[in-house]
Structures are given as C-alpha cells and as structure tokens.
Amino acid sequence: MKDKTMNRWNTYDPYYIQLADKKIVDIVITRHAHARYCARIGSETSTLEEICALLWEKLKNGQIASYYRNEEDVYVVDDDMLFVAQFPLDESETDLLGNPLHKMIVVTFLGLMSQTMELRDLRTYYSWLRHSRRMTLVKNSRKRK
C-alpha cells in the first residue's frame, strides 16, 4: 500500500500510517477474514483489493480505533465494523530514521455493531459463548454415559 514516491530515480519513501504506537506500512487479509467479510459485511463478490483499499483509506483518515482501551487486538472502523488484527514487524521496511514498521494482518472480521447487538459488549458475548459451549459439551458427555 505505497502511496508516496520520491522525486529521485528508483527511490521511495516507505509510507506508513500511525495507529496508536504502530507504524503500519502494509495490510494483509487472511483467507478466513476475507470469507468473514463476504459473509457478514460486504457482498459475496468483494475482492481482497477492495477490502485492503477500504481499510487503507479508513486508516489514512483516522477512522480506525482500538475497541478496548488497554487491549490491542480488536479494532473498530467508523464506530461500527469490528475486526481482529495482529501487528508483526515488517523485516524488509524501516522508516528514514531506521525505526521498525509494522504489517497489519487482519485475522477476522467480527461484523457490524449496528446489525449484531451482541458485538456491542464483546466480553459478555465471548463469556456467553464459552458458557454455552461448555454446557453443550457437558450435555453431550451425559448422553454418552
């Protein structure tokens, strides 16, 4: 996702966008995240390039923020769309001062808060999911005996 080239021949400035304490230079979308985006947010014909372009524009405009104050894995776009991301260092890129830059790897898209009410409080939702799965396992183990 390079946006900026320098005037000299065959040189470029690795362009990054600051998100909290990370300097993001590239966006990677996993196959799982692409499938989740198509199923929950966009249309079935959404391509990886469209999703990356959308996230890059939102990142440039400052419309992506952390969902929780202290945790850095769930992010919200325009106070509606939730996604989970990881930020490994990009070994091939540094800024002009030699500081490390990061890739944003989108692991999954959780959905839209405006459509799914459970996403408004993720901690309660995940604890409910764990409890319901545990109870299902307990019921199934009772049936086997």
Side-chain angles (χ1 to χ4, degrees):
M1 302 298 310
K2 307 280 188 239
D3 278 350
K4 192 163 123 181
T5 58
M6 296 178 81
N7 291 333
R8 289 181 286 161
W9 181 75
N10 204 17
T11 60
Y12 70 94
D13 180 17
Y15 186 74
Y16 64 87
I17 298 174
Q18 191 83 24
L19 178 65
D21 61 339
K22 310 281 192 278
K23 296 176 181 178
I24 300 169
V25 71
D26 197 12
I27 297 175
V28 178
I29 303 214
T30 62
R31 185 175 295 144
H32 176 73
H34 182 242
R36 283 286 183 101
Y37 183 87
C38 291
R40 295 183 177 188
I41 298 168
S43 66
E44 294 292 326
T45 59
S46 298
T47 64
L48 290 173
E49 290 80 18
E50 292 171 356
I51 300 168
C52 282
L54 171 78
L55 287 177
W56 191 252
E57 283 301 315
K58 298 293 183 181
L59 200 59
K60 281 198 302 190
N61 295 333
Q63 296 171 329
I64 295 179
S66 180
Y67 186 71
Y68 297 118
R69 292 192 189 276
N70 297 332
E71 298 178 23
E72 296 184 358
D73 55 348
V74 180
Y75 289 86
V76 61
V77 179
D78 291 334
D79 296 325
D80 193 23
M81 181 172 59
L82 292 173
F83 67 92
V84 178
Q86 296 175 343
F87 298 93
L89 289 174
D90 189 354
E91 302 296 329
S92 63
E93 298 284 348
T94 59
D95 64 359
L96 294 176
L97 299 175
N99 298 324
L101 299 175
H102 297 84
K103 290 181 185 179
M104 181 169 76
I105 299 177
V106 179
V107 178
T108 187
F109 285 95
L110 298 175
L112 299 173
M113 286 191 288
S114 60
Q115 293 177 357
T116 309
M117 297 304 284
E118 292 87 8
L119 293 178
R120 293 181 189 265
D121 187 13
L122 281 179
R123 292 178 190 200
T124 306
Y125 179 61
Y126 281 137
S127 67
W128 174 80
L129 276 179
R130 277 193 299 275
H131 178 71
S132 65
R133 286 183 187 141
R134 191 174 328 135
M135 294 311 291
T136 303
L137 290 172
V138 167
K139 287 179 189 176
N140 289 340
S141 67
R142 287 182 192 156
K143 290 179 186 175
R144 279 186 266 161
K145 290 180 180 180

mmCIF file of all heavy atoms in Angstrom, residues 40 110 116-133:
data_model
loop_
_atom_site.group_PDB
_atom_site.id
_atom_site.type_symbol
_atom_site.label_atom_id
_atom_site.label_comp_id
_atom_site.label_asym_id
_atom_site.label_seq_id
_atom_site.Cartn_x
_atom_site.Cartn_y
_atom_site.Cartn_z
ATOM 1 N N ARG A 40 -20.416 -11.504 6.344
ATOM 2 C CA ARG A 40 -21.026 -10.675 7.380
ATOM 3 C C ARG A 40 -21.131 -9.193 7.053
ATOM 4 O O ARG A 40 -21.982 -8.500 7.597
ATOM 5 C CB ARG A 40 -20.232 -10.809 8.678
ATOM 6 C CG ARG A 40 -20.290 -12.201 9.237
ATOM 7 C CD ARG A 40 -19.563 -12.273 10.531
ATOM 8 N NE ARG A 40 -19.697 -13.612 11.090
ATOM 9 C CZ ARG A 40 -19.293 -13.941 12.287
ATOM 10 N NH1 ARG A 40 -18.723 -13.035 13.048
ATOM 11 N NH2 ARG A 40 -19.448 -15.157 12.737
ATOM 12 N N LEU A 110 -15.430 -9.409 12.689
ATOM 13 C CA LEU A 110 -16.463 -9.872 13.607
ATOM 14 C C LEU A 110 -17.855 -9.484 13.138
ATOM 15 O O LEU A 110 -18.809 -10.195 13.408
ATOM 16 C CB LEU A 110 -16.209 -9.323 15.010
ATOM 17 C CG LEU A 110 -14.899 -9.765 15.649
ATOM 18 C CD1 LEU A 110 -14.707 -9.069 16.980
ATOM 19 C CD2 LEU A 110 -14.863 -11.263 15.804
ATOM 20 N N THR A 116 -25.543 -6.525 14.595
ATOM 21 C CA THR A 116 -25.448 -7.575 15.607
ATOM 22 C C THR A 116 -25.292 -6.914 16.969
ATOM 23 O O THR A 116 -24.234 -6.391 17.299
ATOM 24 C CB THR A 116 -24.245 -8.497 15.320
ATOM 25 O OG1 THR A 116 -24.305 -8.923 13.965
ATOM 26 C CG2 THR A 116 -24.251 -9.696 16.242
ATOM 27 N N MET A 117 -26.327 -6.963 17.763
ATOM 28 C CA MET A 117 -26.325 -6.281 19.054
ATOM 29 C C MET A 117 -25.306 -6.877 20.030
ATOM 30 O O MET A 117 -24.788 -6.178 20.890
ATOM 31 C CB MET A 117 -27.725 -6.340 19.680
ATOM 32 C CG MET A 117 -28.785 -5.620 18.858
ATOM 33 S SD MET A 117 -28.378 -3.897 18.545
ATOM 34 C CE MET A 117 -28.739 -3.195 20.128
ATOM 35 N N GLU A 118 -24.992 -8.169 19.901
ATOM 36 C CA GLU A 118 -24.067 -8.821 20.822
ATOM 37 C C GLU A 118 -22.657 -8.246 20.723
ATOM 38 O O GLU A 118 -21.876 -8.352 21.668
ATOM 39 C CB GLU A 118 -24.009 -10.329 20.563
ATOM 40 C CG GLU A 118 -25.278 -11.065 20.906
ATOM 41 C CD GLU A 118 -26.270 -11.088 19.759
ATOM 42 O OE1 GLU A 118 -25.914 -10.654 18.642
ATOM 43 O OE2 GLU A 118 -27.399 -11.518 19.987
ATOM 44 N N LEU A 119 -22.317 -7.647 19.592
ATOM 45 C CA LEU A 119 -20.963 -7.121 19.397
ATOM 46 C C LEU A 119 -20.710 -5.833 20.172
ATOM 47 O O LEU A 119 -19.576 -5.387 20.277
ATOM 48 C CB LEU A 119 -20.702 -6.885 17.914
ATOM 49 C CG LEU A 119 -20.642 -8.138 17.047
ATOM 50 C CD1 LEU A 119 -20.438 -7.758 15.599
ATOM 51 C CD2 LEU A 119 -19.556 -9.072 17.507
ATOM 52 N N ARG A 120 -21.754 -5.243 20.734
ATOM 53 C CA ARG A 120 -21.560 -4.002 21.480
ATOM 54 C C ARG A 120 -20.772 -4.227 22.764
ATOM 55 O O ARG A 120 -20.077 -3.350 23.237
ATOM 56 C CB ARG A 120 -22.894 -3.346 21.786
ATOM 57 C CG ARG A 120 -23.570 -2.855 20.535
ATOM 58 C CD ARG A 120 -24.877 -2.176 20.847
ATOM 59 N NE ARG A 120 -25.598 -1.910 19.611
ATOM 60 C CZ ARG A 120 -25.553 -0.768 18.962
ATOM 61 N NH1 ARG A 120 -24.837 0.202 19.432
ATOM 62 N NH2 ARG A 120 -26.226 -0.607 17.849
ATOM 63 N N ASP A 121 -20.883 -5.415 23.349
ATOM 64 C CA ASP A 121 -20.094 -5.767 24.526
ATOM 65 C C ASP A 121 -19.477 -7.135 24.278
ATOM 66 O O ASP A 121 -20.063 -8.167 24.567
ATOM 67 C CB ASP A 121 -20.958 -5.779 25.776
ATOM 68 C CG ASP A 121 -20.137 -5.968 27.037
ATOM 69 O OD1 ASP A 121 -18.900 -5.843 26.961
ATOM 70 O OD2 ASP A 121 -20.723 -6.246 28.089
ATOM 71 N N LEU A 122 -18.273 -7.137 23.724
ATOM 72 C CA LEU A 122 -17.623 -8.384 23.311
ATOM 73 C C LEU A 122 -17.280 -9.297 24.480
ATOM 74 O O LEU A 122 -17.364 -10.510 24.362
ATOM 75 C CB LEU A 122 -16.354 -8.085 22.523
ATOM 76 C CG LEU A 122 -16.554 -7.686 21.079
ATOM 77 C CD1 LEU A 122 -15.210 -7.398 20.446
ATOM 78 C CD2 LEU A 122 -17.262 -8.768 20.317
ATOM 79 N N ARG A 123 -16.901 -8.740 25.588
ATOM 80 C CA ARG A 123 -16.516 -9.587 26.726
ATOM 81 C C ARG A 123 -17.703 -10.410 27.213
ATOM 82 O O ARG A 123 -17.566 -11.607 27.472
ATOM 83 C CB ARG A 123 -15.962 -8.744 27.847
ATOM 84 C CG ARG A 123 -14.646 -8.136 27.457
ATOM 85 C CD ARG A 123 -14.090 -7.267 28.495
ATOM 86 N NE ARG A 123 -12.958 -6.574 27.868
ATOM 87 C CZ ARG A 123 -12.006 -6.015 28.518
ATOM 88 N NH1 ARG A 123 -11.993 -6.037 29.818
ATOM 89 N NH2 ARG A 123 -11.025 -5.422 27.884
ATOM 90 N N THR A 124 -18.858 -9.798 27.327
ATOM 91 C CA THR A 124 -20.057 -10.533 27.735
ATOM 92 C C THR A 124 -20.426 -11.565 26.691
ATOM 93 O O THR A 124 -20.780 -12.695 27.023
ATOM 94 C CB THR A 124 -21.225 -9.548 27.945
ATOM 95 O OG1 THR A 124 -20.826 -8.545 28.861
ATOM 96 C CG2 THR A 124 -22.454 -10.263 28.460
ATOM 97 N N TYR A 125 -20.314 -11.196 25.423
ATOM 98 C CA TYR A 125 -20.656 -12.111 24.330
ATOM 99 C C TYR A 125 -19.740 -13.336 24.332
ATOM 100 O O TYR A 125 -20.200 -14.468 24.225
ATOM 101 C CB TYR A 125 -20.558 -11.371 22.999
ATOM 102 C CG TYR A 125 -20.853 -12.204 21.784
ATOM 103 C CD1 TYR A 125 -22.088 -12.798 21.598
ATOM 104 C CD2 TYR A 125 -19.879 -12.395 20.810
ATOM 105 C CE1 TYR A 125 -22.360 -13.566 20.488
ATOM 106 C CE2 TYR A 125 -20.142 -13.157 19.689
ATOM 107 C CZ TYR A 125 -21.387 -13.732 19.528
ATOM 108 O OH TYR A 125 -21.636 -14.497 18.423
ATOM 109 N N TYR A 126 -18.421 -13.129 24.489
ATOM 110 C CA TYR A 126 -17.489 -14.253 24.487
ATOM 111 C C TYR A 126 -17.660 -15.130 25.725
ATOM 112 O O TYR A 126 -17.537 -16.342 25.656
ATOM 113 C CB TYR A 126 -16.044 -13.771 24.372
ATOM 114 C CG TYR A 126 -15.660 -13.395 22.969
ATOM 115 C CD1 TYR A 126 -14.925 -12.259 22.712
ATOM 116 C CD2 TYR A 126 -16.044 -14.175 21.897
ATOM 117 C CE1 TYR A 126 -14.571 -11.907 21.422
ATOM 118 C CE2 TYR A 126 -15.703 -13.834 20.602
ATOM 119 C CZ TYR A 126 -14.963 -12.701 20.374
ATOM 120 O OH TYR A 126 -14.630 -12.364 19.098
ATOM 121 N N SER A 127 -17.947 -14.531 26.866
ATOM 122 C CA SER A 127 -18.177 -15.357 28.057
ATOM 123 C C SER A 127 -19.452 -16.176 27.894
ATOM 124 O O SER A 127 -19.506 -17.339 28.306
ATOM 125 C CB SER A 127 -18.236 -14.501 29.313
ATOM 126 O OG SER A 127 -19.378 -13.681 29.297
ATOM 127 N N TRP A 128 -20.466 -15.599 27.262
ATOM 128 C CA TRP A 128 -21.693 -16.351 26.985
ATOM 129 C C TRP A 128 -21.416 -17.502 26.021
ATOM 130 O O TRP A 128 -21.908 -18.616 26.210
ATOM 131 C CB TRP A 128 -22.761 -15.427 26.404
ATOM 132 C CG TRP A 128 -23.982 -16.154 25.961
ATOM 133 C CD1 TRP A 128 -25.005 -16.600 26.746
ATOM 134 C CD2 TRP A 128 -24.302 -16.544 24.629
ATOM 135 N NE1 TRP A 128 -25.943 -17.247 25.972
ATOM 136 C CE2 TRP A 128 -25.537 -17.221 24.665
ATOM 137 C CE3 TRP A 128 -23.664 -16.381 23.399
ATOM 138 C CZ2 TRP A 128 -26.137 -17.737 23.541
ATOM 139 C CZ3 TRP A 128 -24.273 -16.898 22.273
ATOM 140 C CH2 TRP A 128 -25.477 -17.560 22.347
ATOM 141 N N LEU A 129 -20.609 -17.251 24.980
ATOM 142 C CA LEU A 129 -20.265 -18.318 24.038
ATOM 143 C C LEU A 129 -19.509 -19.447 24.729
ATOM 144 O O LEU A 129 -19.809 -20.621 24.506
ATOM 145 C CB LEU A 129 -19.405 -17.761 22.897
ATOM 146 C CG LEU A 129 -20.116 -17.108 21.737
ATOM 147 C CD1 LEU A 129 -19.087 -16.603 20.740
ATOM 148 C CD2 LEU A 129 -21.072 -18.048 21.072
ATOM 149 N N ARG A 130 -18.539 -19.109 25.563
ATOM 150 C CA ARG A 130 -17.784 -20.145 26.278
ATOM 151 C C ARG A 130 -18.693 -20.955 27.183
ATOM 152 O O ARG A 130 -18.612 -22.176 27.244
ATOM 153 C CB ARG A 130 -16.655 -19.510 27.095
ATOM 154 C CG ARG A 130 -15.416 -19.230 26.296
ATOM 155 C CD ARG A 130 -14.257 -18.918 27.217
ATOM 156 N NE ARG A 130 -14.488 -17.732 28.037
ATOM 157 C CZ ARG A 130 -14.248 -16.489 27.651
ATOM 158 N NH1 ARG A 130 -13.780 -16.251 26.455
ATOM 159 N NH2 ARG A 130 -14.479 -15.481 28.457
ATOM 160 N N HIS A 131 -19.600 -20.278 27.881
ATOM 161 C CA HIS A 131 -20.516 -20.969 28.782
ATOM 162 C C HIS A 131 -21.458 -21.887 28.002
ATOM 163 O O HIS A 131 -21.682 -23.030 28.399
ATOM 164 C CB HIS A 131 -21.320 -19.956 29.591
ATOM 165 C CG HIS A 131 -22.319 -20.597 30.492
ATOM 166 N ND1 HIS A 131 -21.940 -21.293 31.626
ATOM 167 C CD2 HIS A 131 -23.666 -20.666 30.431
ATOM 168 C CE1 HIS A 131 -23.024 -21.755 32.216
ATOM 169 N NE2 HIS A 131 -24.080 -21.386 31.516
ATOM 170 N N SER A 132 -21.988 -21.410 26.882
ATOM 171 C CA SER A 132 -22.924 -22.237 26.110
ATOM 172 C C SER A 132 -22.206 -23.443 25.494
ATOM 173 O O SER A 132 -22.764 -24.546 25.456
ATOM 174 C CB SER A 132 -23.612 -21.414 25.026
ATOM 175 O OG SER A 132 -22.680 -20.962 24.079
ATOM 176 N N ARG A 133 -20.977 -23.274 25.054
ATOM 177 C CA ARG A 133 -20.216 -24.402 24.512
ATOM 178 C C ARG A 133 -19.900 -25.418 25.601
ATOM 179 O O ARG A 133 -19.991 -26.617 25.398
ATOM 180 C CB ARG A 133 -18.917 -23.917 23.870
ATOM 181 C CG ARG A 133 -19.127 -23.247 22.555
ATOM 182 C CD ARG A 133 -17.812 -22.857 21.938
ATOM 183 N NE ARG A 133 -18.030 -22.067 20.754
ATOM 184 C CZ ARG A 133 -17.300 -21.035 20.409
ATOM 185 N NH1 ARG A 133 -16.280 -20.672 21.136
ATOM 186 N NH2 ARG A 133 -17.560 -20.366 19.309
#
